[in-house]
Structures are given as structure tokens and as C-alpha cells.
Amino acid sequence: MSAMGGFLRPSLPPKGGSPIGHGPPRPLTHHAATVSDPSVPDPDDDGVARRWRLLLGLVLLLRCVAALWWPLSGDEAYHWEWARRPGLGYFDHPPLHAWTMAATTGILGHTELAVRLPSILANLGMALVLAALVRRLAASFLGPAARERAAAWTALLATFTPIHAALGVYATGDALVSLCWSAFLLAAWNAVSDGRLRSWCLAGVVLGFGILAKFLIVLAPFTLAVVCLLLPAYRRWLWSWKPWVCAVIALAVASPLLWWNAHHDWATFVFNFSSRHHIDRDWWREVPLYLGSQMAAVTPLLWLAGVGGAVAAFRPGRAPALRFLAAFILVPLGVFLINAFSKRIGLHWPAIAYPALYALVPLGAELLAIGRRQRRILYGVPLGLGAFLLVVASVPPTVSVLPFMP
């Protein structure tokens, strides 16, 4: 963790300058110049962009093949039943996943691929949005090649890291809420940075669709408020009228769900915020289980690097852009950690924290100017494991490719 924390140290601006990741672009200095050093293994900018986009295309194809082979699980079949009966709301979850699944099954028929296609496309969309976010955040402190390389690694982590590799082909609403969370990161950063009304309006639209996807999205505006509270440069937004416009737009977009719940005793809200959380657990079991399962979901080294870098980002003088990402890692993980003292946390619930982690770790690697060997260690396990599972899943279930497969 100390290694990843170190990349945040050179973030103090020179006299008369602006902090890294905040304000107008300025000449590259210190670590920013280092990453453009020709002595650092540095693939050509256009080559990196071409390769990672082609790889995402290959992943899309393999996931579609895997979706065709494997029968639906019980949860997937349950969500498919929603799509067969589209409505404005459902007892246990908002309706966006049912709407998107109804569209794909309406076009492609009621097949396994059509049922899973919304999750497949949502994961691809999340990877592309996060790549755009990294370019936006790093515009003022990384050169073009390093910026594109960080964007490429971010997109690949979002695609192959085990938790999102699974959610990216599993027919539930988690892939959609991850896409909405990632889009909110980009829209919210634009809003607090440029302050334009249209940026706040776009953040409201994204937030509204996130509410329609899954209620986990409510942690996103809460985290943004924490960012504005902790960073003096953005504190003015706490008493500005523009975030209220964002909130009104979000509620307007989510109004079908609100209308349905108003006529059904607020069933979705009661289930998600009360009924399902009545079982008390022993904290001394649940907290280690929560932490261990999250490390496994992302792979331990990547999890420790991301969380360690996020903690270090809140030391005095660190860059606002990196603190922004750090907050969207630590706040959701912290909320679920507190809840783990009294209840069982679902493995996939904290997955909303990891889009920011996928962005923070490559940015830190570029600022540290780590070499190819270090990159392989940092990225090798999550990317290799995700690729292995994808290849295995792409083989028809009637063919044994592993000794323990029937």
C-alpha cells in the first residue's frame, strides 16, 4: 500500500500553479514528465488504443458465445420473468433491467443470449466510460501516451477483474448500476470542475437511470457530498442551487418507479431498506468475511493497491482529481464495512466501489512510471484470471476442459 500511496506525494502545485488534476492544463513537471521519458517501456499511443479496443471487441464476442451455451440460473430466470411482464416497478428491484431485457428479447427472441445481452453491453459501456473518465482526469498531469495507456488499463481492469467479469455476463441489474455509477463519476467530475448547468443536468439524468437500475446508486450523490465537504475548492457546491437541479432531474427520470411504489405501499423501498436487513449476524465472522471476499472479488494485490492509494490520497496536499476517485472507493466500502458488523454483505454489493479503483490504480502506476515487469505483477492476476474464466465459459458445457468438469 505504501508504494501506491507514494504516487500521490508530488501533487503540491508550484507557486502560481494549479494542483494536479484541477484547473487548466499546465506544463508537465516531475513525475508527469517522467512517464513520457523514452527510457520507460512505453508502447506507441495509437498502438495501445488500437489493441485494447480490439481486445474489448473480442471479449464481447466471447461473452456472447458463452451466453449462448450456458442455461439460465435461478436468479437469471427470475429476472427474465420480469422482462416477460414489463412494469413500472417490482417488489424487490427497480425496473430498468427488466426494460432492457424486454427490448433485447423482443428483438432477438427469448434466448439465453438475449436475456444476458443487457449485462454484456453494460459492462462494455462501463469500460468505455471509465476510459473517458481517466482521460478527463489526467488531462493536466499526464502526457498523451501515458494518458491513453492509463485509460487502456482501466478499461481492461473493468472488463477482466473477476467481480465485473462475472457481472458482465450475468443477467441481473448489477452491470447496469455499475454502468450508471461510472457515468455518474464522469458527469459529476465535469459538474464540480466546470460548474456548467448542463453538466449538473447530465449528472441528474445519469443518477435517475441509476435509481431505475438499483438502489445502490444512492451512495453516489452521498459520496459526491463528501467530496465537496472535504475539498475546499468544491465546498461552494454544498450551498449552490445547481445540485438541487441535478436532484430534481434524477427524481423526474425515476418517477415511473416512484409512481408505482406510491400505489403499492412503497414495496420496493421497504424490501431494500428494511425487510431484507433484519437478520443480525456476529460481527467477528461477518467483517473478516466481508474483507476477504472483497479482496478475492478484485484479487488481493489490486484491492490493496487501490484501497491503499485511496487512503493516501486524503493526506494533506494531495491532488483533487485523485481524491475524487479515492472518495468513490472508500465511502461505499466504508458504508458496507459498517453494515458488516450486523449483517451479511452480498459479494456483489460493494462492486460499485471498483470503477473508481480501476481508474485510480492505473493513474498511480503512470505517475510512478513503473516498468513493464511491475505492470505484469499488478495487472497480471486480475486480467489473467478474468481471461481464463472467459475462455472456459466460452466452451460448450458438454465439453470437459477442466478435470473437475462433468
Side-chain angles (χ1 to χ4, degrees):
M1 284 196 287
S2 59
M4 287 305 296
F7 78 81
L8 299 163
R9 291 203 181 102
S11 60
L12 285 172
K15 292 182 179 179
S18 60
I20 290 177
H22 176 62
R26 57 182 176 79
L28 300 178
T29 59
H30 199 50
H31 281 280
T34 305
V35 295
S36 299
D37 190 328
S39 64
V40 178
D42 193 2
D44 178 72
D45 184 15
D46 293 336
V48 171
R50 185 172 60 252
R51 283 193 292 271
W52 74 263
R53 288 181 175 87
L54 288 175
L55 186 55
L56 291 191
L58 178 61
V59 169
L60 176 64
L61 177 62
L62 289 177
R63 282 181 173 169
C64 289
V65 171
L68 284 170
W69 294 136
W70 296 89
L72 299 181
S73 69
D75 279 348
E76 289 178 307
Y78 177 54
H79 285 255
W80 174 42
E81 282 299 313
W82 296 355
R84 296 175 64 190
R85 299 166 179 82
L88 298 181
Y90 301 92
F91 170 73
D92 48 356
H93 285 300
L96 184 61
H97 187 229
W99 295 351
T100 56
M101 196 185 298
T104 54
T105 54
I107 296 171
L108 301 176
H110 291 277
T111 64
E112 285 85 352
L113 173 59
V115 168
R116 291 169 172 145
L117 191 57
S119 294
I120 295 172
L121 296 179
N123 183 261
L124 175 62
M126 180 183 75
L128 297 175
V129 168
L130 289 176
L133 172 67
V134 166
R135 294 190 195 97
R136 176 76 172 87
L137 292 172
S140 62
F141 63 94
L142 288 180
R147 190 164 61 242
E148 185 60 31
R149 188 164 57 248
W153 285 119
T154 296
L156 293 176
L157 288 174
T159 303
F160 286 105
T161 299
I163 183 63
H164 276 105
L167 295 179
V169 74
Y170 196 67
T172 64
D174 295 282
L176 286 173
V177 77
S178 293
L179 170 60
C180 293
W181 184 280
S182 303
F184 184 80
L185 287 177
L186 180 57
W189 175 253
N190 287 334
V192 298
S193 298
D194 61 38
R196 291 181 294 182
L197 179 59
R198 73 175 183 180
S199 297
W200 284 104
C201 291
L202 180 59
V205 171
V206 170
L207 182 59
F209 277 105
I211 295 171
L212 291 173
K214 207 165 186 180
F215 287 149
L216 290 170
I217 199 71
V218 299
L219 287 175
F222 172 74
T223 304
L224 182 60
V226 171
V227 170
C228 294
L229 181 65
L230 295 180
L231 302 185
Y234 305 133
R235 205 164 288 162
R236 62 192 175 100
W237 297 118
L238 293 175
W239 51 79
S240 171
W241 58 273
K242 291 181 180 178
W244 292 104
V245 174
C246 171
V248 169
I249 292 175
L251 292 176
V253 173
S255 59
L257 173 65
L258 300 177
W259 185 92
W260 185 90
N261 272 271
H263 290 79
H264 292 82
D265 298 321
W266 300 97
T268 317
F269 290 85
V270 171
F271 174 78
N272 281 276
F273 295 106
S274 177
S275 300
R276 72 188 305 179
H277 301 298
H278 281 170
I279 301 176
D280 290 332
R281 305 270 185 169
D282 295 324
W283 70 267
W284 52 271
R285 291 178 180 173
E286 296 305 321
V287 171
L289 178 62
Y290 165 68
L291 295 175
S293 64
Q294 291 310 300
M295 289 186 191
V298 181
T299 67
L301 180 59
L302 183 63
W303 193 90
L304 291 172
V307 174
V311 171
F314 283 97
R315 293 175 182 172
R318 299 316 193 242
L322 301 175
R323 286 184 173 184
F324 175 84
L325 290 175
F328 279 89
I329 298 171
L330 296 178
V331 171
L333 290 180
V335 168
F336 286 114
L337 176 61
I338 293 171
N339 279 274
F341 279 86
S342 60
K343 58 181 65 71
R344 176 70 53 84
I345 303 299
L347 175 65
H348 57 289
W349 295 354
I352 54 174
Y354 299 131
L357 185 147
Y358 301 149
L360 183 66
V361 171
L363 285 173
E366 293 305 322
L367 286 170
L368 280 174
I370 66 174
R372 185 172 298 174
R373 181 179 179 184
Q374 288 78 12
R375 293 175 201 270
R376 288 175 179 171
I377 295 173
L378 183 60
Y379 303 134
V381 174
L383 299 187
L385 181 58
F388 172 75
L389 294 175
L390 178 61
V391 170
V392 170
S394 301
V395 177
T398 54
V399 178
S400 268
V401 294
L402 297 174
F404 54 80
M405 291 182 68

